Amino acid sequence: MTSTTVAPPALAVPRQPGRGIDTDRVADLISQLLVELGEDPQRDGLAETPKRVAAWWNEFLSPGSAPAATRFTESQLTGQLVVVGGMSVWSLCEHHMIPMNLQVAVGYLAEDEVVGLSKFGRVAQHFAGRLQVQERYTREVAEHLAGVIGSENIAVAVRGLHLCMSMRGVRMEEARTTTLHSGGRFATDPVLSQQFLLTTNQLNAT
């Protein structure tokens, strides 16, 4: 009696974060997927689709390094609440690889200096450019911005529209998910926390 051991198929080595993908390989895989879905990847309308999809994946997964901080001295500011809202980014749910739209608002306390406003949008985009879950995204943005401002006095609120919930599964188109990360005084001062949430709700309503 003989026995045969079958080795499991080799898994591809994960791509290092920040490096571009092999677009030719991805395009080939998309072509194979189209075939398995009963389509002809050579027909009109689909002939260039694999290349377009591969190019998009390369762009989406290559957001570059996190932006550096730009801070400006404002010696007359002490404990002023600054809220930056209206930041809308797209990411991909890592459980279903379906898009999610995230509305981001950030609050911090300005102490003798302010942070360049465009940096908040760049940070929001940077952490969205990967397979994500909203809960982790909220924490990553908050932790990075805490390093930018040099303080734990940071709050991040994210309101998400998840197509994995709207277009599949329960198909609830109006469902939204809200996540909140509060650090430093935002976690201990209920008045400050309420001011941030009230301002955030007003921004969402406009």
Side-chain angles (χ1 to χ4, degrees):
M1 181 178 179
T2 61
S3 61
T4 302
T5 300
V6 179
L11 296 177
V13 177
R15 181 180 63 90
Q16 293 298 314
R19 296 182 57 187
I21 68 171
D22 184 341
T23 54
D24 290 337
R25 173 62 174 156
V26 173
D28 181 60
L29 291 172
I30 296 300
S31 293
Q32 295 179 45
L33 175 62
L34 289 171
V35 171
E36 294 302 321
L37 294 177
E39 285 285 358
D40 176 10
Q42 301 302 318
R43 72 169 174 82
D44 291 343
L46 289 180
E48 297 298 317
T49 295
K51 291 182 180 179
R52 285 192 292 264
V53 174
W56 176 81
W57 274 109
N58 187 55
E59 177 184 359
F60 179 77
L61 294 175
S62 303
S65 58
T70 302
R71 297 190 288 192
F72 305 93
T73 300
E74 288 289 342
S75 58
Q76 301 302 312
L77 290 180
T78 302
Q80 184 181 96
L81 173 61
V82 180
V83 179
V84 183
M87 295 179 287
S88 178
V89 298
W90 286 94
S91 189
L92 285 179
C93 164
E94 66 181 37
H95 300 145
H96 304 98
M97 296 179 71
I98 295 178
M100 55 183 176
N101 180 248
L102 305 175
Q103 302 290 326
V104 185
V106 174
Y108 78 101
L109 295 178
E111 300 281 357
D112 298 324
E113 60 183 10
V114 295
V115 179
L117 296 178
S118 66
K119 291 297 180 290
F120 293 97
R122 295 184 189 280
V123 169
Q125 289 178 330
H126 172 78
F127 288 101
R130 60 190 66 177
L131 299 180
Q132 269 288 13
V133 295
Q134 182 176 329
E135 297 86 346
R136 183 172 67 240
Y137 172 83
T138 305
R139 175 181 56 80
E140 289 177 341
V141 170
E143 290 178 348
H144 181 82
L145 289 175
V148 168
I149 69 173
S151 168
E152 294 298 320
N153 296 325
I154 190 87
V156 176
V158 180
R159 187 169 186 259
L161 165 63
H162 296 250
L163 296 191
C164 59
M165 189 175 183
S166 300
M167 66 180 294
R168 63 167 296 282
V170 294
R171 298 187 181 183
M172 293 185 176
E173 297 182 7
E174 300 302 318
R176 300 294 186 272
T177 300
T178 300
T179 48
L180 175 65
H181 180 103
S182 300
R185 284 184 54 192
F186 287 93
T188 61
D189 186 338
V191 174
L192 179 62
S193 178
Q194 187 64 27
Q195 287 177 332
F196 170 70
L197 293 176
L198 179 61
T199 304
T200 299
N201 290 336
Q202 291 173 339
L203 290 171
N204 289 333
T206 57

